[in-house]
Amino acid sequence: MRFHIVTIFPDFFTGPFGYGVVSRAQAAGLLEIHIHDLRNWTYDRHRTVDDRPFGGGEGMLLKPEPLFEAVEAILPERTARKKTVLLSAQGARFTQPMAREFAQLEDLLLICGRYEGVDERVAEHLADYEVSIGDFVLSGGELAAAMLVDAVARLLPGVLGDERSSRNESFGEDNEGILDCPQYTRPAEFRGWKVPEVLLGGNHEEIKRWRRAASREKTQRLRPDLTGGRN
Ligand code: 9D3
């Protein structure tokens, strides 16, 4: 799979993509990440990418021409397996089912918003999706794009070891319905805090029951929204 990222901060991504799963997947040729500087599609002396909002208001917006030119140059043909995503605070929430859908694509182009926003014609006529990563205010789409790439990359065939991916499938790792159960490693007692006794014995039926109950309790406490309850 190929990712393309259009940004005014191309150097931003050397950090997030230089480590762990995403870095190794790139080295193994399982995915490509192409970073594009939006200013490459400006033609004035100051390489202007922003302008003031019609109707007045605070701050500046990303103007449409460089974004349309960039996307049309990077993905000249539009097909069912080549999609464009605008990362914006006004988008639909990015979720694990969306990550699975994106993992089927050949090319995914991510547009990173900046300033106070992006001219709405980009969302309406250029991007296939407009997504937000959560209900909080970021200063731009770059961190959001890095998170989206990470979430999609780990779903690509071969990116996680065979052992892990098949195990996760059968155990339903990508279960959005409930939180993972609490887990412990050695020592069995740390600063007086003991690992639950049941996990130290070898009764696998009992362990399974404990884990299910612990998952439910933790979900109820920290994510009542997942249980059909209120926030
Ligand atoms: C405080 C400014 N807001 C009201 C005028 C609007 C606003 C504009 C631009 C809020 C955030 C941003 C920049 N954010 C993103 O580009 C962004 C984002 C986010 O803020 N939250 C969650 N996901 C995303 S994806 C891109």
Side-chain angles (χ1 to χ4, degrees):
M1 175 172 185
R2 280 183 300 269
F3 293 92
H4 309 268
I5 300 181
V6 173
T7 174
I8 62 167
F9 296 128
D11 296 337
F12 176 92
F13 296 94
T14 55
F17 298 150
Y19 298 89
V21 163
V22 172
S23 178
R24 268 180 278 119
Q26 280 181 276
L30 299 168
L31 66 90
E32 298 174 14
I33 303 175
H34 302 275
I35 310 292
H36 306 270
D37 187 340
L38 180 60
R39 292 188 203 278
N40 292 343
W41 289 276
T42 59
Y43 304 99
D44 65 308
R45 215 155 54 82
H46 300 289
R47 310 186 88 194
T48 309
V49 292
D50 60 331
D51 206 342
R52 295 154 59 195
F54 278 121
E58 292 284 286
M60 304 288 272
L61 304 177
L62 282 180
K63 60 201 261 95
E65 302 96 313
L67 286 169
F68 273 77
E69 285 222 27
V71 171
E72 286 162 359
I74 296 162
L75 288 186
E77 81 256 56
R78 321 194 39 117
T79 75
R81 296 192 63 214
K82 299 179 188 292
K83 296 290 187 188
T84 299
V85 171
L86 171 64
L87 281 313
S88 100
Q90 287 73 43
R93 176 74 66 82
F94 178 66
T95 59
Q96 194 65 23
M98 234 185 269
R100 283 194 217 101
E101 190 183 326
F102 292 163
Q104 307 303 310
L105 298 173
E106 201 166 66
D107 291 275
L108 183 57
L109 191 161
L110 305 176
I111 300 170
C112 302
R114 269 281 153 181
Y115 307 113
E116 289 309 299
V118 180
D119 185 285
E120 188 65 15
R121 288 166 289 194
V122 171
E124 279 205 39
H125 304 295
L126 185 61
D128 299 295
Y129 305 87
E130 180 175 10
V131 310
S132 154
I133 56 157
D135 295 338
F136 39 81
V137 180
L138 299 173
S139 46
E142 282 77 8
L143 274 171
M147 290 175 56
L148 188 153
V149 168
D150 190 279
V152 174
R154 59 185 294 291
L155 299 178
L156 297 175
V159 167
L160 300 184
D162 279 353
E163 189 254 325
R164 269 210 71 186
S165 51
S166 56
R167 188 189 58 183
N168 291 343
E169 208 162 15
S170 54
F171 280 67
E173 179 221 37
D174 298 41
N175 183 346
E176 290 97 50
I178 193 163
L179 301 181
D180 276 354
C181 67
Q183 300 188 90
Y184 300 88
T185 184
R186 292 184 295 179
E189 180 174 344
F190 171 68
R191 297 188 177 179
W193 300 302
K194 293 189 168 100
V195 171
E197 197 72 44
V198 56
L199 299 177
L200 305 179
N203 188 333
H204 295 290
E205 261 321 301
E206 209 186 337
I207 289 170
K208 244 165 68 181
R209 251 184 290 120
W210 181 88
R211 285 180 166 162
R212 246 193 313 269
S215 275
R216 289 201 194 100
E217 186 277 325
K218 189 157 180 168
T219 304
Q220 188 60 246
R221 183 160 50 85
L222 298 184
R223 294 296 305 276
D225 56 308
L226 294 180
T227 68
R230 309 217 177 285
N231 277 301

